[in-house]
Amino acid sequence: MKVGFIGLGNVGGKLAGSLLRNGPDNGLHLTVRDLDRAAADPFLAKGAAWGESPKAMAAECDIVITCLPSPAICSAVVEGPEGILEGLSDGKIWAEMSTTDEGEVKRLGAKVEAIGAHPVDCPVSGGCHRAATGNIAILAGCDRATFEKMLPILTLMGRRILHTGALGTASALKVVTNFLATANLVSLAEALTTCKLSGMDMNIAFEGIKISSGNSFVHETESQVILNGSRDINFTMELVLKDIGLFQQIAEKSGAKLDLSPLLIEIFKDGIAKYGGDEWSPNIIRRYEESAGIKVLAPGFPPEILDDEPEERGYEVVAMR
């Protein structure tokens, strides 16, 4: 099985790393590509092949995976000159692992299907630290037959794999989860600031939230780098704004009247105006720190989150019925 991977950034590089690490024992040969050739060098040194173009990769590989920063960039890679569509043929698979627009992945998917190939949208969730160890969750939208072909590859990159239904359903559900994570992050920024201002011991406050009904995945991860001061979670404010903007589009299209979502968008627009789109997303707490004239810090917390769970082969999660 030949698999091509395009996009070796914060998330894509880690997912491709899992394929490189686990692939040889499972009959998988990896080809990689990134606009920054240097990003591919560690993969090439460990035996991966270099893709000369998306077209060439699609022609040579059974499956081509994209993991790119925006829907526009993905569209250019798929349908632009020397793009994936020019190299695809009957029976091959294009898998989109970016967090992208549901409508755009359906539009591109229709072009893929017209060739006789099969599209899958399979975004990931769980943070870069879990992407690095192959323990991240993966949502997959496609017909069932394509999912079963893709599942053995997905289990080399992630632990829990959920078939969400038809193409596009995974992308829609993914931005729902990112909206919820953003709501958690902003509420934690407010909670931690309030704890600091009220004179609480911040180490005790962290543990109290962790063992209580106020706990969340975001608290167990992002609160640690907030309190450390690094605020490094490998995810930028600009990416947060993109994702919650996609969620808001789904809400508006479905007719949902929301209060929190538009507020979160305004908060992150303000954060970007103040600190820049490349600022790490947990530094949204700076809006509250600067207003209060404090720093929300505590000793003993790590500068980055690492996954300490052992890697295990992934498996399909089946929804309750």
Side-chain angles (χ1 to χ4, degrees):
M1 173 73 71
K2 294 183 178 180
V3 176
F5 202 108
I6 302 174
L8 304 175
N10 282 337
V11 176
K14 294 173 177 61
L15 296 171
S18 290
L19 288 178
L20 186 63
R21 181 173 63 253
N22 299 319
D25 291 339
N26 291 277
L28 184 151
H29 302 280
L30 182 66
T31 300
V32 297
R33 179 174 175 81
D34 193 275
L35 280 180
D36 178 9
R37 174 65 184 255
D41 287 343
F43 296 87
L44 305 181
K46 293 180 181 179
W50 170 252
E52 291 297 333
S53 69
K55 174 184 176 180
M57 294 173 74
E60 296 167 3
C61 297
D62 303 292
I63 297 170
V64 179
I65 299 170
T66 50
C67 190
L68 299 161
S70 72
I73 294 173
C74 180
S75 299
V77 169
V78 173
E79 63 184 349
E82 293 292 305
I84 289 171
L85 285 174
E86 294 184 10
L88 282 179
S89 56
D90 188 61
K92 295 191 175 187
I93 293 175
W94 165 57
E96 167 63 298
M97 300 196 75
S98 320
T99 300
T100 192
D101 176 64
E102 173 191 7
E104 185 65 359
V105 80
K106 286 181 177 179
R107 185 185 71 82
L108 293 173
K111 293 190 173 188
V112 170
E113 289 173 338
I115 295 170
H118 309 289
V120 186
D121 61 321
C122 43
V124 300
S125 184
C128 285
H129 62 297
R130 288 188 175 174
T133 58
N135 287 328
I136 203 162
I138 303 177
L139 310 174
C142 55
D143 63 79
R144 184 68 200 185
T146 301
F147 175 77
E148 290 180 359
K149 291 178 182 177
M150 192 68 193
L151 183 59
I153 306 302
L154 297 179
T155 60
L156 299 179
M157 293 185 283
R159 179 181 293 185
R160 298 175 182 88
I161 320 298
L162 177 66
H163 183 214
T164 58
L167 182 72
T169 56
S171 293
L173 185 54
K174 166 61 177 174
V175 296
V176 170
T177 68
N178 278 20
F179 161 75
L180 291 169
T182 303
N184 273 289
L185 174 59
V186 173
S187 63
L188 281 163
E190 295 190 356
L192 294 173
T193 301
T194 301
C195 289
K196 182 72 172 183
L197 284 170
S198 66
M200 293 185 196
D201 182 311
M202 295 306 294
N203 296 74
I204 291 175
F206 174 86
E207 295 298 336
I209 295 170
K210 186 177 177 181
I211 65 172
S212 74
S213 58
N215 192 34
S216 66
F217 174 82
V218 177
H219 176 62
E220 291 188 2
T221 55
E222 299 193 39
S223 287
Q224 293 201 62
V225 296
I226 286 173
L227 292 169
N228 170 272
S230 77
R231 282 68 195 277
D232 182 357
I233 206 69
N234 268 309
F235 206 74
T236 66
M237 290 189 185
E238 186 174 48
L239 289 174
V240 169
L241 185 60
K242 180 201 77 171
D243 291 352
I244 59 179
L246 290 171
F247 171 78
Q248 181 63 26
Q249 289 176 23
I250 292 173
E252 291 172 357
K253 184 178 179 181
S254 64
K257 306 295 185 183
L258 305 181
D259 297 315
L260 184 55
S261 175
L263 179 58
L264 291 173
I265 289 171
E266 290 307 310
I267 288 171
F268 270 88
K269 282 183 177 178
D270 182 64
I272 289 171
K274 285 183 167 73
Y275 315 119
D278 291 334
E279 180 66 87
W280 295 130
S281 57
N283 246 333
I284 201 69
I285 197 172
R286 287 179 62 185
R287 296 173 72 251
Y288 305 102
E289 290 178 317
E290 290 171 2
S291 176
I294 60 169
K295 291 293 290 183
V296 180
L297 302 170
F301 291 97
E304 62 179 333
I305 300 301
L306 301 175
D307 185 15
D308 59 4
E309 295 184 32
E311 182 176 13
E312 62 180 55
R313 183 68 180 261
Y315 57 88
E316 181 182 359
V317 173
V318 180
M320 293 185 295
R321 299 290 185 187

PDB file of all heavy atoms in Angstrom, residues 187-197 202 205-206 209 219 222-223 226-227 285 294 296:
ATOM      1  N   SER A 187     -13.760  30.311  29.037  1.00  0.00           N
ATOM      2  CA  SER A 187     -14.314  30.241  30.392  1.00  0.00           C
ATOM      3  C   SER A 187     -13.221  29.940  31.415  1.00  0.00           C
ATOM      4  O   SER A 187     -13.235  30.461  32.540  1.00  0.00           O
ATOM      5  CB  SER A 187     -15.428  29.187  30.477  1.00  0.00           C
ATOM      6  OG  SER A 187     -14.941  27.890  30.219  1.00  0.00           O
ATOM      7  N   LEU A 188     -12.232  29.146  31.022  1.00  0.00           N
ATOM      8  CA  LEU A 188     -11.108  28.884  31.920  1.00  0.00           C
ATOM      9  C   LEU A 188     -10.244  30.122  32.107  1.00  0.00           C
ATOM     10  O   LEU A 188      -9.754  30.385  33.217  1.00  0.00           O
ATOM     11  CB  LEU A 188     -10.262  27.726  31.384  1.00  0.00           C
ATOM     12  CG  LEU A 188     -10.836  26.336  31.650  1.00  0.00           C
ATOM     13  CD1 LEU A 188     -10.189  25.298  30.748  1.00  0.00           C
ATOM     14  CD2 LEU A 188     -10.655  25.952  33.125  1.00  0.00           C
ATOM     15  N   ALA A 189     -10.055  30.895  31.039  1.00  0.00           N
ATOM     16  CA  ALA A 189      -9.296  32.145  31.171  1.00  0.00           C
ATOM     17  C   ALA A 189      -9.970  33.062  32.192  1.00  0.00           C
ATOM     18  O   ALA A 189      -9.305  33.671  33.046  1.00  0.00           O
ATOM     19  CB  ALA A 189      -9.186  32.838  29.818  1.00  0.00           C
ATOM     20  N   GLU A 190     -11.284  33.146  32.130  1.00  0.00           N
ATOM     21  CA  GLU A 190     -12.010  33.985  33.085  1.00  0.00           C
ATOM     22  C   GLU A 190     -11.945  33.389  34.489  1.00  0.00           C
ATOM     23  O   GLU A 190     -11.779  34.113  35.482  1.00  0.00           O
ATOM     24  CB  GLU A 190     -13.451  34.157  32.620  1.00  0.00           C
ATOM     25  CG  GLU A 190     -13.569  34.926  31.313  1.00  0.00           C
ATOM     26  CD  GLU A 190     -15.001  35.310  30.975  1.00  0.00           C
ATOM     27  OE1 GLU A 190     -15.928  34.919  31.724  1.00  0.00           O
ATOM     28  OE2 GLU A 190     -15.190  36.030  29.975  1.00  0.00           O
ATOM     29  N   ALA A 191     -12.085  32.061  34.588  1.00  0.00           N
ATOM     30  CA  ALA A 191     -12.068  31.419  35.900  1.00  0.00           C
ATOM     31  C   ALA A 191     -10.702  31.542  36.575  1.00  0.00           C
ATOM     32  O   ALA A 191     -10.610  31.868  37.764  1.00  0.00           O
ATOM     33  CB  ALA A 191     -12.448  29.942  35.757  1.00  0.00           C
ATOM     34  N   LEU A 192      -9.624  31.291  35.810  1.00  0.00           N
ATOM     35  CA  LEU A 192      -8.285  31.367  36.389  1.00  0.00           C
ATOM     36  C   LEU A 192      -7.926  32.796  36.784  1.00  0.00           C
ATOM     37  O   LEU A 192      -7.274  33.018  37.815  1.00  0.00           O
ATOM     38  CB  LEU A 192      -7.257  30.800  35.406  1.00  0.00           C
ATOM     39  CG  LEU A 192      -7.369  29.286  35.121  1.00  0.00           C
ATOM     40  CD1 LEU A 192      -6.415  28.875  34.012  1.00  0.00           C
ATOM     41  CD2 LEU A 192      -7.114  28.463  36.381  1.00  0.00           C
ATOM     42  N   THR A 193      -8.351  33.751  35.968  1.00  0.00           N
ATOM     43  CA  THR A 193      -8.118  35.155  36.330  1.00  0.00           C
ATOM     44  C   THR A 193      -8.839  35.508  37.620  1.00  0.00           C
ATOM     45  O   THR A 193      -8.281  36.178  38.513  1.00  0.00           O
ATOM     46  CB  THR A 193      -8.587  36.087  35.196  1.00  0.00           C
ATOM     47  OG1 THR A 193      -7.862  35.764  33.999  1.00  0.00           O
ATOM     48  CG2 THR A 193      -8.347  37.541  35.552  1.00  0.00           C
ATOM     49  N   THR A 194     -10.074  35.046  37.756  1.00  0.00           N
ATOM     50  CA  THR A 194     -10.850  35.310  38.972  1.00  0.00           C
ATOM     51  C   THR A 194     -10.212  34.646  40.183  1.00  0.00           C
ATOM     52  O   THR A 194     -10.139  35.249  41.273  1.00  0.00           O
ATOM     53  CB  THR A 194     -12.295  34.816  38.792  1.00  0.00           C
ATOM     54  OG1 THR A 194     -12.876  35.490  37.669  1.00  0.00           O
ATOM     55  CG2 THR A 194     -13.135  35.086  40.035  1.00  0.00           C
ATOM     56  N   CYS A 195      -9.720  33.425  40.008  1.00  0.00           N
ATOM     57  CA  CYS A 195      -9.033  32.734  41.111  1.00  0.00           C
ATOM     58  C   CYS A 195      -7.815  33.532  41.566  1.00  0.00           C
ATOM     59  O   CYS A 195      -7.572  33.707  42.770  1.00  0.00           O
ATOM     60  CB  CYS A 195      -8.607  31.336  40.676  1.00  0.00           C
ATOM     61  SG  CYS A 195      -9.953  30.156  40.477  1.00  0.00           S
ATOM     62  N   LYS A 196      -7.041  34.017  40.599  1.00  0.00           N
ATOM     63  CA  LYS A 196      -5.831  34.781  40.931  1.00  0.00           C
ATOM     64  C   LYS A 196      -6.187  36.070  41.659  1.00  0.00           C
ATOM     65  O   LYS A 196      -5.582  36.414  42.690  1.00  0.00           O
ATOM     66  CB  LYS A 196      -5.073  35.093  39.635  1.00  0.00           C
ATOM     67  CG  LYS A 196      -3.755  35.841  39.836  1.00  0.00           C
ATOM     68  CD  LYS A 196      -2.691  34.943  40.427  1.00  0.00           C
ATOM     69  CE  LYS A 196      -1.336  35.619  40.443  1.00  0.00           C
ATOM     70  NZ  LYS A 196      -0.264  34.728  40.949  1.00  0.00           N
ATOM     71  N   LEU A 197      -7.161  36.791  41.154  1.00  0.00           N
ATOM     72  CA  LEU A 197      -7.540  38.073  41.764  1.00  0.00           C
ATOM     73  C   LEU A 197      -8.115  37.894  43.167  1.00  0.00           C
ATOM     74  O   LEU A 197      -7.957  38.773  44.021  1.00  0.00           O
ATOM     75  CB  LEU A 197      -8.556  38.793  40.875  1.00  0.00           C
ATOM     76  CG  LEU A 197      -8.002  39.466  39.615  1.00  0.00           C
ATOM     77  CD1 LEU A 197      -9.137  39.924  38.720  1.00  0.00           C
ATOM     78  CD2 LEU A 197      -7.097  40.644  39.988  1.00  0.00           C
ATOM     79  N   MET A 202      -3.019  29.068  43.208  1.00  0.00           N
ATOM     80  CA  MET A 202      -3.351  28.649  41.848  1.00  0.00           C
ATOM     81  C   MET A 202      -3.095  27.161  41.613  1.00  0.00           C
ATOM     82  O   MET A 202      -3.774  26.538  40.797  1.00  0.00           O
ATOM     83  CB  MET A 202      -2.586  29.487  40.832  1.00  0.00           C
ATOM     84  CG  MET A 202      -2.983  30.963  40.843  1.00  0.00           C
ATOM     85  SD  MET A 202      -4.780  31.223  40.640  1.00  0.00           S
ATOM     86  CE  MET A 202      -5.027  30.629  38.970  1.00  0.00           C
ATOM     87  N   ALA A 205      -6.139  25.635  43.066  1.00  0.00           N
ATOM     88  CA  ALA A 205      -7.273  25.920  42.198  1.00  0.00           C
ATOM     89  C   ALA A 205      -7.275  24.988  40.992  1.00  0.00           C
ATOM     90  O   ALA A 205      -8.327  24.464  40.592  1.00  0.00           O
ATOM     91  CB  ALA A 205      -7.230  27.373  41.744  1.00  0.00           C
ATOM     92  N   PHE A 206      -6.084  24.765  40.406  1.00  0.00           N
ATOM     93  CA  PHE A 206      -5.995  23.862  39.266  1.00  0.00           C
ATOM     94  C   PHE A 206      -6.503  22.472  39.641  1.00  0.00           C
ATOM     95  O   PHE A 206      -7.305  21.868  38.931  1.00  0.00           O
ATOM     96  CB  PHE A 206      -4.552  23.768  38.757  1.00  0.00           C
ATOM     97  CG  PHE A 206      -4.366  22.735  37.671  1.00  0.00           C
ATOM     98  CD1 PHE A 206      -4.604  23.064  36.344  1.00  0.00           C
ATOM     99  CD2 PHE A 206      -3.979  21.432  37.972  1.00  0.00           C
ATOM    100  CE1 PHE A 206      -4.458  22.115  35.337  1.00  0.00           C
ATOM    101  CE2 PHE A 206      -3.832  20.482  36.974  1.00  0.00           C
ATOM    102  CZ  PHE A 206      -4.065  20.823  35.659  1.00  0.00           C
ATOM    103  N   ILE A 209     -10.354  22.326  40.251  1.00  0.00           N
ATOM    104  CA  ILE A 209     -11.137  22.267  39.009  1.00  0.00           C
ATOM    105  C   ILE A 209     -11.016  20.882  38.386  1.00  0.00           C
ATOM    106  O   ILE A 209     -12.002  20.307  37.897  1.00  0.00           O
ATOM    107  CB  ILE A 209     -10.657  23.355  38.031  1.00  0.00           C
ATOM    108  CG1 ILE A 209     -10.932  24.747  38.597  1.00  0.00           C
ATOM    109  CG2 ILE A 209     -11.336  23.197  36.671  1.00  0.00           C
ATOM    110  CD1 ILE A 209     -10.278  25.876  37.831  1.00  0.00           C
ATOM    111  N   HIS A 219      -9.059  22.002  30.284  1.00  0.00           N
ATOM    112  CA  HIS A 219      -8.428  22.351  31.563  1.00  0.00           C
ATOM    113  C   HIS A 219      -7.205  21.467  31.820  1.00  0.00           C
ATOM    114  O   HIS A 219      -6.150  21.965  32.227  1.00  0.00           O
ATOM    115  CB  HIS A 219      -9.420  22.190  32.715  1.00  0.00           C
ATOM    116  CG  HIS A 219      -8.806  22.435  34.058  1.00  0.00           C
ATOM    117  ND1 HIS A 219      -8.268  23.653  34.408  1.00  0.00           N
ATOM    118  CD2 HIS A 219      -8.593  21.609  35.124  1.00  0.00           C
ATOM    119  CE1 HIS A 219      -7.777  23.587  35.636  1.00  0.00           C
ATOM    120  NE2 HIS A 219      -7.958  22.346  36.086  1.00  0.00           N
ATOM    121  N   GLU A 222      -4.628  22.758  28.438  1.00  0.00           N
ATOM    122  CA  GLU A 222      -4.287  24.159  28.194  1.00  0.00           C
ATOM    123  C   GLU A 222      -4.124  24.973  29.471  1.00  0.00           C
ATOM    124  O   GLU A 222      -3.316  25.915  29.502  1.00  0.00           O
ATOM    125  CB  GLU A 222      -5.313  24.790  27.253  1.00  0.00           C
ATOM    126  CG  GLU A 222      -5.349  24.092  25.904  1.00  0.00           C
ATOM    127  CD  GLU A 222      -6.108  24.847  24.840  1.00  0.00           C
ATOM    128  OE1 GLU A 222      -6.003  26.087  24.796  1.00  0.00           O
ATOM    129  OE2 GLU A 222      -6.802  24.190  24.038  1.00  0.00           O
ATOM    130  N   SER A 223      -4.837  24.633  30.519  1.00  0.00           N
ATOM    131  CA  SER A 223      -4.634  25.369  31.774  1.00  0.00           C
ATOM    132  C   SER A 223      -3.210  25.205  32.286  1.00  0.00           C
ATOM    133  O   SER A 223      -2.652  26.112  32.915  1.00  0.00           O
ATOM    134  CB  SER A 223      -5.623  24.890  32.845  1.00  0.00           C
ATOM    135  OG  SER A 223      -6.927  25.350  32.575  1.00  0.00           O
ATOM    136  N   ILE A 226      -1.035  27.610  30.360  1.00  0.00           N
ATOM    137  CA  ILE A 226      -1.381  28.961  30.798  1.00  0.00           C
ATOM    138  C   ILE A 226      -0.647  29.270  32.100  1.00  0.00           C
ATOM    139  O   ILE A 226       0.005  30.315  32.228  1.00  0.00           O
ATOM    140  CB  ILE A 226      -2.904  29.107  30.994  1.00  0.00           C
ATOM    141  CG1 ILE A 226      -3.612  29.174  29.639  1.00  0.00           C
ATOM    142  CG2 ILE A 226      -3.224  30.361  31.817  1.00  0.00           C
ATOM    143  CD1 ILE A 226      -5.125  29.159  29.728  1.00  0.00           C
ATOM    144  N   LEU A 227      -0.738  28.380  33.061  1.00  0.00           N
ATOM    145  CA  LEU A 227      -0.126  28.618  34.374  1.00  0.00           C
ATOM    146  C   LEU A 227       1.400  28.584  34.300  1.00  0.00           C
ATOM    147  O   LEU A 227       2.077  29.263  35.068  1.00  0.00           O
ATOM    148  CB  LEU A 227      -0.654  27.600  35.387  1.00  0.00           C
ATOM    149  CG  LEU A 227      -2.133  27.780  35.741  1.00  0.00           C
ATOM    150  CD1 LEU A 227      -2.651  26.590  36.542  1.00  0.00           C
ATOM    151  CD2 LEU A 227      -2.366  29.075  36.521  1.00  0.00           C
ATOM    152  N   ILE A 285      -6.018  34.675  27.409  1.00  0.00           N
ATOM    153  CA  ILE A 285      -6.094  35.105  28.805  1.00  0.00           C
ATOM    154  C   ILE A 285      -5.406  36.449  29.017  1.00  0.00           C
ATOM    155  O   ILE A 285      -5.681  37.140  30.010  1.00  0.00           O
ATOM    156  CB  ILE A 285      -5.500  34.029  29.749  1.00  0.00           C
ATOM    157  CG1 ILE A 285      -5.948  34.278  31.192  1.00  0.00           C
ATOM    158  CG2 ILE A 285      -3.975  33.978  29.639  1.00  0.00           C
ATOM    159  CD1 ILE A 285      -5.563  33.170  32.154  1.00  0.00           C
ATOM    160  N   ILE A 294      -2.381  41.846  36.219  1.00  0.00           N
ATOM    161  CA  ILE A 294      -1.799  40.683  36.887  1.00  0.00           C
ATOM    162  C   ILE A 294      -1.237  39.719  35.842  1.00  0.00           C
ATOM    163  O   ILE A 294      -1.458  39.878  34.639  1.00  0.00           O
ATOM    164  CB  ILE A 294      -2.845  39.927  37.738  1.00  0.00           C
ATOM    165  CG1 ILE A 294      -4.001  39.437  36.825  1.00  0.00           C
ATOM    166  CG2 ILE A 294      -3.352  40.792  38.877  1.00  0.00           C
ATOM    167  CD1 ILE A 294      -4.942  38.472  37.505  1.00  0.00           C
ATOM    168  N   VAL A 296      -1.351  35.492  35.415  1.00  0.00           N
ATOM    169  CA  VAL A 296      -1.922  34.255  35.959  1.00  0.00           C
ATOM    170  C   VAL A 296      -0.917  33.132  35.742  1.00  0.00           C
ATOM    171  O   VAL A 296      -0.869  32.495  34.688  1.00  0.00           O
ATOM    172  CB  VAL A 296      -3.274  33.940  35.298  1.00  0.00           C
ATOM    173  CG1 VAL A 296      -3.855  32.646  35.874  1.00  0.00           C
ATOM    174  CG2 VAL A 296      -4.251  35.096  35.504  1.00  0.00           C
TER     175      VAL A 296
END
